Amino acid sequence: MSVENMVKKIYDAINDKLGEDIAILNIGKVSSLCDYFIIASGSSSRQVKAIADSVEDALTEVGIEPRGKEGKDTQSWILLDYGDIMVHIFDEENRGFYNLEKLWKDAPYIDMEKLEIVDAESMRVEI
């Protein structure tokens, strides 16, 4: 699965649980840390956990497990590390406090409509 397809799958999983203010930053343009940060908010600790669970479930279905996860105990900021993609899910208070978008202000925002999704069918090569 391409990184862009993973981004789409994560976006859909967050959106499915009514995650708010979803931002996708192309961190790879300004850092070697990873390719993308996906940042979202939940209105309560219960929703933050539900969003994180939704992301994990969606990627587990296609055989992708996080390399690491932090914050499941507090549920105020959950980080899921998928190597090329880091998913940050905040409650509203901590999102404003840490303000990752401002910290990484040089990283361009990605519009989901313009993200190039590669379909496995279209990549099939006949021999």
Side-chain angles (χ1 to χ4, degrees), residues 5 12 35 126:
N5 287 22
D12 289 344
D35 290 337
E126 302 216 10

Side-chain angles (χ1 to χ4, degrees), residues 16-36:
D16 185 53
K17 294 299 179 188
L18 305 177
E20 301 168 357
D21 299 323
I22 304 170
I24 303 168
L25 303 177
N26 188 339
I27 297 297
K29 296 282 186 188
V30 295
S31 172
S32 61
L33 183 62
C34 64
D35 290 337
Y36 296 100

Side-chain angles (χ1 to χ4, degrees), residues 54-65:
S54 179
V55 169
E56 279 193 86
D57 292 346
L59 290 180
T60 295
E61 284 177 11
V62 293
I64 301 170
E65 298 296 328

Side-chain angles (χ1 to χ4, degrees), residues 82-116:
Y82 287 98
D84 291 330
I85 303 169
M86 292 204 184
V87 183
H88 300 268
I89 306 158
F90 290 95
D91 62 17
E92 292 169 348
E93 181 181 343
N94 282 295
R95 174 122 182 220
F97 180 78
Y98 289 103
N99 201 354
L100 292 182
E101 291 98 324
K102 185 176 179 185
L103 183 66
W104 292 95
K105 67 181 182 228
D106 294 335
Y109 280 80
I110 301 299
D111 180 356
M112 275 308 299
E113 300 299 318
K114 295 180 181 172
L115 188 67
E116 187 173 327

